[in-house]
Amino acid sequence: MSSEESKVGLFHRMLFRWHCRNFYPFKKRMTSTERRYLKVCFELFDDFQEVSETGFKKFSSFSYSHRVQGEQVNSSRIAYGSVENPEAAQEAAAPVLKERGIVLPSDVVDSENARFGGLGWDIEENQFKVYFRWLGLGALPGELTDLVKDINLEEHRQECLISYTFLDDTLEESKVYLYPQVERELPEGVANETWMVTSKRGLVHQYDLYYPSNWGARLNKTGRDIVAKYRTRQQTLDTINYTDENDFTLYFP
């Protein structure tokens, strides 16, 4: 392991511990199998930014997010995987899937278009998520094709992200994340958008923000306090799903 790889792995270990102390006790609420998976992912990072084999830099291999509704906050949301080392991440994820009794669709797992993306948790909502990068919108699995049937896919990058959300071992929601390539008018302060097309909620827009961002002024005090706490670790708000000042989800980094 190079010194740079050790530095990146240490960053992720320390960031995880910081979240456990300041936002949510992940270590106490996750199984030993799940914690081993995270430790593998921490060491898979070769750099602070991963790039897919097509050169796309927008995929994130990890995320900590906070669902805010008024003064209520769900900070039990975490996701980790790998863009540049999908095989190793998938191997590490296999014991977690087995422990949870989750069987993924064979037309996804066995497809040459699929690249394992990672695992995600929303512990308070008892939700477990599995992500895949997908190469080729025209070859999506049948049920996901139905989700995007009314969207002009030629206006989006052909490399996308798909995910499955489970409640216990039962599939609860499917999603396709699309990355527009046609220029559109975006809200002030937004650099890019992602279209999250879901089986339960329809189309949801996620906004990637410019840095420095002026979006703090659009959040209630609860949201501003979260952003300020990240600032103490030199971490900035990266992405937001925004309804109004009292209803939003913050994504870091």
Side-chain angles (χ1 to χ4, degrees):
M1 180 182 297
S2 71
S3 59
E4 181 64 22
E5 289 172 333
S6 298
K7 180 179 178 181
V8 179
L10 177 61
F11 165 81
H12 285 285
R13 290 193 297 273
M14 297 302 293
L15 186 62
F16 177 75
R17 293 171 186 170
W18 182 77
H19 277 87
C20 290
R21 291 194 307 268
N22 289 275
F23 288 111
Y24 192 80
F26 291 108
K27 288 180 69 174
K28 295 181 180 179
R29 297 297 305 276
M30 301 177 102
T31 69
S32 59
T33 306
E34 292 171 331
R35 294 195 302 272
R36 281 195 296 272
Y37 166 79
L38 291 180
K39 289 178 181 178
V40 171
C41 289
F42 295 163
E43 296 302 332
L44 288 178
F45 287 92
D46 294 325
D47 203 339
F48 287 103
Q49 182 181 45
E50 292 198 310
V51 182
S52 77
E53 57 267 52
T54 67
F56 195 41
K57 299 181 179 180
K58 198 172 184 301
F59 293 118
S60 178
S61 293
F62 73 103
S63 176
Y64 295 90
S65 60
H66 308 265
R67 181 78 180 97
V68 178
Q69 294 177 299
E71 296 181 356
Q72 301 298 312
V73 184
N74 176 3
S75 295
S76 70
R77 299 157 54 95
I78 182 175
Y80 260 93
S82 178
V83 171
E84 296 184 356
N85 298 285
E87 296 87 359
Q90 187 168 9
E91 181 179 353
V96 180
L97 297 175
K98 182 178 180 180
E99 180 177 73
R100 287 180 167 268
I102 290 176
V103 178
L104 297 170
S106 59
D107 57 350
V108 172
V109 176
D110 298 334
S111 174
E112 63 182 11
N113 294 304
R115 304 289 185 274
F116 182 77
L119 303 178
W121 293 259
D122 184 332
I123 297 174
E124 287 189 5
E125 295 294 333
N126 193 31
Q127 293 180 343
F128 178 76
K129 305 173 185 182
V130 185
Y131 297 89
F132 288 87
R133 288 186 295 114
W134 191 267
L135 307 178
L137 281 176
L140 283 171
E143 77 279 6
L144 298 183
T145 299
D146 290 341
L147 288 184
V148 298
K149 64 182 180 181
D150 296 325
I151 295 175
N152 184 355
L153 299 182
E154 294 182 357
E155 296 182 350
H156 297 266
R157 187 177 183 86
Q158 294 305 295
E159 185 178 10
C160 67
L161 186 71
I162 66 176
S163 75
Y164 297 95
T165 299
F166 296 86
L167 188 63
D168 295 323
D169 59 355
T170 302
L171 180 62
E172 183 181 41
E173 187 174 29
S174 303
K175 304 173 188 173
V176 179
Y177 296 78
L178 303 175
Y179 302 93
Q181 290 189 303
V182 175
E183 185 173 341
R184 293 177 173 84
E185 184 176 352
L186 298 173
E188 182 182 356
V190 173
N192 300 288
E193 68 174 337
T194 299
W195 289 19
M196 184 175 71
V197 190
T198 78
S199 59
K200 291 184 66 175
R201 293 169 285 162
L203 175 61
V204 178
H205 293 272
Q206 294 182 335
Y207 296 132
D208 295 332
L209 306 179
Y210 282 114
Y211 176 78
S213 170
N214 63 353
W215 272 70
R218 308 185 193 192
L219 309 178
N220 63 13
K221 184 179 184 304
T222 302
R224 294 196 303 272
D225 288 346
I226 294 173
V227 173
K229 186 169 289 188
Y230 274 89
R231 198 175 296 124
T232 66
R233 284 194 61 90
Q234 293 76 51
Q235 298 294 310
T236 59
L237 176 62
D238 182 75
T239 302
I240 190 168
N241 175 345
Y242 186 86
T243 301
D244 58 46
E245 66 175 5
N246 292 304
D247 186 357
F248 51 86
T249 304
L250 307 175
Y251 296 86
F252 298 86

